[in-house]
Amino acid sequence: MISRVEMMSTRTAAFRKLDKDRNNLLTFEEWAAATGDRFAGADKDKSGGLSRAEFATTAPKRAAVAKCKC
């Protein structure tokens, strides 16, 4: 069995990274800043919009799944 605390513990680092003022509350501005930064980083030509290729770079990177060596 896994507890709620154990399940939530995997999200703690991501939350702390977004909580810029370290008050244990995540404001909309703190959350939106990360999205804005990601958009700005993807907008390589600084056009203010993302081309199909630029948008594709914003997809979450999936971790490689370890294969069982049974």
Side-chain angles (χ1 to χ4, degrees), residues 34-58:
T35 303
D37 292 345
R38 193 165 79 193
F39 181 94
D43 187 16
K44 298 296 183 194
D45 63 3
K46 306 300 179 212
S47 65
L50 298 181
S51 68
R52 199 176 280 260
E54 289 171 328
F55 181 71
T57 67
T58 67

Side-chain angles (χ1 to χ4, degrees), residues 16-46:
R16 286 190 179 134
K17 188 175 178 183
L18 293 174
D19 185 20
K20 299 296 183 187
D21 59 7
R22 303 288 184 232
N23 67 350
N24 258 354
L25 299 171
L26 191 60
T27 64
F28 177 79
E29 288 77 17
E30 289 170 323
W31 172 82
T35 303
D37 292 345
R38 193 165 79 193
F39 181 94
D43 187 16
K44 298 296 183 194
D45 63 3
K46 306 300 179 212

